[in-house]
Structures are given as C-alpha cells and as structure tokens.
Amino acid sequence: MTAKNKKRSWDLFAVCPPGLELPCLQELQALGLEGRLERGGVNFVGELESIYQANLWLRSASRVLVRLGEFSCRDFPDLYRKALRLPWGSFIKPGTSLEIGTSCSKSRLWHGDRIESTVREAIERSMGAVQGDTAAVQKILVRLVDDRCQISVDSSADLLHRRGYRVDVRQAPLRETLAAGILELLGWDGTAGLVDPMCGSGVFVAEAFMIASNLAPGRQRRFAFMQWPGYREGLWTDLCRRADGLQRADELPELSGFDADPEALVAARRNLNRLGGNAKFNSMRIENHSRHEGSGLVLCNPPYGERLGTSGQMAGLYRALGQCYRENFPGWQGAFLCPSPELARVTGLDFKPLARLSNGGIPIALYAGTL
C-alpha cells in the first residue's frame, strides 16, 4: 500500500446483532467516528487508523467490513469486469488464501458457487495467483440484492465476540458482544454495582469488568488487517499502548455473580481471572438470595426454551426470579432476557421490553425497569 493509500478514507461497516445498532453507533462516536444506522450495523467512513480503532474498541460489533465496491450487475461478464477493477492489492498479498462468502436476493445472478468463482477469478487476474500455502486467510463477502452487487473485505477475521478470555463455557452461553451491548442499552457505565443471580460462565460480570476498567476488548487478539500488505505495526502498537494507558484500576464497582451450578462458577472465575478481574462468585439458587443494600443493576439471562424443558418448570423459575428481584433489590435497576411476553408476565414485575434481540437464533426481548 502506498503512502497515499495509507491516508485514504474507506467506506466501512460495523456489523452487529440486530437490536444493538444504537450502542454500536455510540461506541463509534466515542472514538470520534460518525456513523449512519442500518439494520444489522452502522455505516461509517475512516482511514486505516479508524479500522484499527474500531476492531480494538468496539464492544457490541461482530466484525468490521471495508466496503470495497458497489455496482449494478446483471450478468457474470459484468460482475467479472467490475470486480477486476477493485483495489484488491490494498488488502490481499501473495500467498493469502481466499474465503469468499455470497448471498443473493431478487437478482438475476443467484448461483452462489458461480458468483464465488467469478469473483475469485477476477481477484487472481488482478493480482496474479493468490492461493498459497501460508496460514493467512482473507474473507471476502459478496452480496447481491435487486441486481446491485456489494463487495466487502473483512478486517476482523474471527468474530469480535472472541475476546480471548472466555475459554471455559457452560451450556447456551451468551455471546460477549450481546452481553456488552445489553449493558450499554441499560445505560450501565461502570460506576454502579452489578449483580447477576444466574451468571453461568459469567459473561455479564466479565463484560461489566471490562467496561468499568476501560479494557479494550480487542487488546489480546489478532485481526485480518494484520496480514494486509499495508499493515502498520507501529501504528497498532501505539494504539494498544494508548489503550493500556486508559485502563482504570481504582474505585471499581462491586460485581457479583451467583449460580446454582458450582461448575459454572468455576468457569466464571477462570474466565474473569484471564482478564485480571475481581468479582464475588457464590453458589446460590435464585430462591435463596438475601437483601442487597445500596443500589445498582441486577440482570440475568435465565434459562428458556430447550435450556429448561417444560412450560411448568419455566413458569416456576420466572416466578422465583420476580420474587427475588422484588424482595432483595429494592430501588435497584432490574433487567432480564425472556423469549415471550407471557413468561415475562409470570415474574409479576412491571418491566417493559427495552429491545428486541436474538440469542442463539431464539428471538428474545430485554425487559427492564426500576424495582
């Protein structure tokens, strides 16, 4: 990549789970980047440093894409010609393997395999053969809707929820990006206490610690942009050094996690230890909680669907959840995730749905209110 291209601005897109677009936008704004909301993410413009910063700091995003080009396209020769003209050399170097994903809707070109092979042929013609024996893999996304083709380059590699700390997991874990986005939707800024009475492997507690201590979620991992021809290692090192200097270690709020499964708590402690974090984890059923003084946020992701079983079991658990919140957290902000309004009403809590989300393919709502 030439010196001129180092300062080039690119159209970028931060992909996030539906329902977390606003928190993702607010995270970009905190980095000094303005964006435009779209279902499933946020469009923004930035240089190389913006790409690095977004991957380093975004908590609710799944990946960061570079929008390489968009054009009308109704036949394969047209797709080949227009893909050939894109600046592939800025993102792919010899020896890189290509992973090309395609999606098509309401377009004359609908055969995914042929779309993939056509774009691959254009890239190889543009750069010479790029398939190699190295471990480097570059993901390319090709999307056709209404005969408009959009081609993007992934800058993240592994999805951004893979922070590197959660090695120990239990059944049906909540993704880190979803947990962080929920905390932001609730306005939790790391200054008040937090309790998760059904913490599982501790993702809410871990993400809360990262927010409270201002830990950059991408600090301990690698990204696709590190294999680009114009990767600026010095810039990345400087951004990481600055991020380290912004960490907070003093006056952190009290974070607590409880669960009826002792093995889940072992996993939660191990995960938080990898972050250098500190929290109280105790084995306790939801029915056995005692009163919590002060104020803060109590939230949880209770079992639902296949995680629990019969509707009678679910009703009993959600009834106990509501009683626990009312009796033990007066004056606190409360929240929980639930797949159905009927089940939410069983709690007896006057909570309203704050956001519609999805967890593991199951539509859920975030219910929240003041106790």
Side-chain angles (χ1 to χ4, degrees):
M1 186 178 296
T2 67
K4 180 180 178 180
N5 280 335
K6 288 180 182 179
K7 286 296 184 181
R8 174 173 176 175
S9 290
W10 301 93
D11 292 325
L12 307 171
F13 187 71
V15 182
C16 69
L20 297 185
E21 293 88 351
L22 183 56
C24 188
L25 173 63
Q26 292 169 337
E27 293 171 33
L28 285 167
Q29 290 172 335
L31 296 173
L33 300 168
E34 289 300 325
R36 177 172 53 83
L37 293 175
E38 181 179 311
R39 179 168 173 77
V42 183
N43 290 290
F44 64 108
V45 176
E47 302 172 354
L48 270 181
E49 182 172 344
S50 306
I51 297 172
Y52 295 4
Q53 288 273 50
N55 278 285
L56 179 61
W57 281 106
L58 291 185
R59 301 183 187 278
S60 59
S62 302
R63 65 170 77 248
V64 179
L65 302 177
V66 180
R67 298 298 201 197
L68 202 57
E70 183 171 349
F71 46 82
S72 61
C73 180
R74 297 189 175 188
D75 57 52
F76 286 103
D78 198 26
L79 173 62
Y80 176 81
R81 285 192 301 269
K82 291 176 178 178
L84 184 64
R85 295 198 292 263
L86 298 178
W88 300 108
S90 294
F91 304 97
I92 302 170
K93 57 186 175 183
T96 301
S97 297
L98 302 179
E99 179 184 330
I100 302 177
T102 64
S103 64
C104 315
S105 175
K106 302 177 183 178
S107 296
R108 299 186 186 188
L109 304 186
W110 56 270
H111 195 288
D113 288 344
R114 190 171 176 192
I115 293 169
E116 185 270 341
S117 64
T118 300
V119 172
R120 183 182 297 274
E121 184 181 353
I123 297 172
E124 293 180 351
R125 174 67 183 276
S126 174
M127 300 187 57
V130 295
Q131 190 77 21
D133 298 326
T134 71
V137 178
Q138 179 59 62
K139 186 174 183 66
I140 310 293
L141 300 176
V142 184
R143 181 169 178 257
L144 282 106
V145 179
D146 292 327
D147 295 325
R148 293 286 299 176
C149 180
Q150 184 181 69
I151 298 182
S152 304
V153 175
D154 172 40
S155 72
S156 303
D158 288 340
L159 292 173
L160 294 179
H161 76 271
R162 296 182 178 176
R163 321 275 207 225
Y165 72 81
R166 191 161 62 153
V167 178
D168 296 276
V169 296
R170 299 297 291 165
Q171 184 180 8
L174 198 69
R175 281 190 172 180
E176 292 85 338
T177 44
L178 183 55
I182 287 170
L183 289 170
E184 293 173 1
L185 283 171
L186 292 168
W188 193 83
D189 62 1
T191 59
L194 179 140
V195 174
D196 183 347
M198 296 182 182
C199 70
S201 56
V203 65
F204 274 133
V205 174
E207 290 298 316
F209 171 76
M210 294 188 78
I211 291 172
S213 58
N214 203 33
L215 279 175
R219 181 66 180 87
Q220 302 298 328
R221 52 163 286 168
R222 294 188 59 80
F223 300 94
F225 63 72
M226 293 176 173
Q227 67 196 22
W228 290 353
Y231 172 51
R232 298 171 60 189
E233 185 174 4
L235 173 59
W236 175 250
T237 300
D238 183 56
L239 293 174
C240 289
R241 187 182 301 114
R242 284 189 241 166
D244 292 343
L246 294 172
Q247 291 181 24
R248 294 187 291 266
D250 300 325
E251 300 181 3
L252 298 182
E254 184 174 297
L255 308 175
S256 303
F258 301 86
D259 203 276
D261 180 2
E263 293 185 9
L265 294 173
V266 171
R269 290 189 186 97
R270 288 175 177 170
N271 292 332
L272 192 61
N273 285 342
R274 293 187 187 93
L275 289 172
N278 184 38
K280 295 179 180 179
F281 288 108
N282 290 291
S283 179
M284 187 178 297
R285 293 179 60 83
I286 191 73
E287 301 91 344
N288 298 333
H289 276 260
S290 57
R291 188 181 179 96
H292 290 255
E293 301 300 332
S295 62
L297 170 65
V298 54
L299 84 163
C300 65
N301 177 36
Y304 40 78
E306 295 180 359
R307 293 175 59 197
L308 192 58
T310 68
S311 57
Q313 286 175 302
M314 285 195 284
L317 179 65
Y318 278 76
R319 193 175 297 112
L321 171 65
Q323 183 176 353
C324 173
Y325 275 28
R326 283 192 303 274
E327 295 180 356
N328 301 312
F329 298 92
W332 284 52
Q333 181 187 11
F336 62 89
L337 297 172
C338 186
S340 72
E342 293 78 17
L343 204 52
R345 283 195 290 270
V346 170
T347 66
L349 299 169
D350 188 24
F351 285 7
K352 305 301 181 185
L354 183 64
R356 304 290 178 181
L357 306 166
S358 176
N359 181 29
I362 300 174
I364 56 173
L366 172 63
Y367 288 84
T370 301
L371 294 161

